[in-house]
Amino acid sequence: MCYRLLLASPLTLSEVRSMLPEGAMADLAPPQQRDSLLARHPPAQTVVVLTRGGCACDLVGRRSEDEHVLRSKYRSLGAARGDIIEALEQHRRPGSRLRYPVDWPSALAGFVAEHARNAGEALYYLRFSARPGSGFEWPDAAPTTIRASSVRSDPTSWLPEEHPIFVLP
């Protein structure tokens, strides 16, 4: 499955989708993940998975990670060989063709800032997993709170893996 970027938002799915940059997608998160994020962010009504192609690698600037690194991560999670192959195939799935090259971390930062301006506080969570609904556990780390302006000023490092982030307007 690769990287998954979850967003707990007070907006509906269609409202989130309307704000996304061209080529990015949002789908409803699986129930276990949805329930966990909604419990930690009561103003949210929707939890979505943000992707570009088959995963969130483009959005968070991790597309360049070598497949060898991804295989090692899957093995450390105890993923079976078939699950690893399926996850790598999904990782390779291209996003829609666009007319111009896109700096995806900057495009995501723009979306995050626009979302914060329109909807207020939101919870973002980046995780790495071998299967879409697999073994979701909330991390031990307490969520960090940052401002949307910080996301805009540093679009490549505001979202650490396995660490929940509240973004404020």
Side-chain angles (χ1 to χ4, degrees):
M1 185 64 227
C2 212
Y3 286 97
R4 295 175 58 80
L5 176 54
L6 300 163
L7 161 62
S9 171
L11 300 179
T12 64
L13 175 61
S14 62
E15 290 170 327
V16 169
R17 284 178 171 164
S18 72
M19 295 173 66
L20 286 171
E22 180 184 357
M25 298 175 293
D27 290 305
L28 291 174
Q32 184 183 15
Q33 295 172 7
R34 180 197 65 223
D35 294 347
S36 184
L37 268 71
L38 288 176
R40 284 156 180 85
H41 187 44
Q45 70 172 357
T46 307
V47 177
V48 299
V49 180
L50 301 173
T51 59
R52 160 85 180 129
C55 57
C57 287
D58 283 339
L59 298 176
V60 297
R62 300 220 171 119
R63 174 62 61 195
S64 62
E65 276 192 9
D66 187 275
E67 284 192 14
H68 175 73
V69 173
L70 296 176
R71 285 179 191 275
S72 295
K73 287 180 127 175
Y74 291 130
R75 280 194 288 275
S76 71
L77 292 172
R81 183 176 184 277
D83 291 339
I84 293 172
I85 291 168
E86 183 180 331
L88 287 173
E89 287 174 2
Q90 185 159 356
H91 170 76
R92 292 179 194 129
R93 192 173 79 205
S96 60
R97 291 181 175 251
L98 302 173
R99 291 175 283 189
Y100 305 103
V102 175
D103 174 1
W104 285 107
S106 293
L108 176 64
F111 163 78
V112 170
E114 182 69 10
H115 183 279
R117 188 176 71 76
N118 288 310
E121 182 178 333
L123 176 61
Y124 293 83
Y125 182 58
L126 179 67
R127 69 185 301 253
F128 186 87
S129 64
R131 302 209 41 92
S134 65
F136 185 80
E137 291 182 27
W138 187 256
D140 292 334
T144 301
T145 301
I146 62 172
R147 296 248 171 231
S149 58
S150 298
V151 175
R152 293 276 306 209
S153 67
D154 190 8
T156 58
S157 61
W158 69 276
L159 188 62
E161 187 178 334
E162 301 290 335
H163 190 96
I165 302 287
F166 282 108
V167 177
L168 305 176

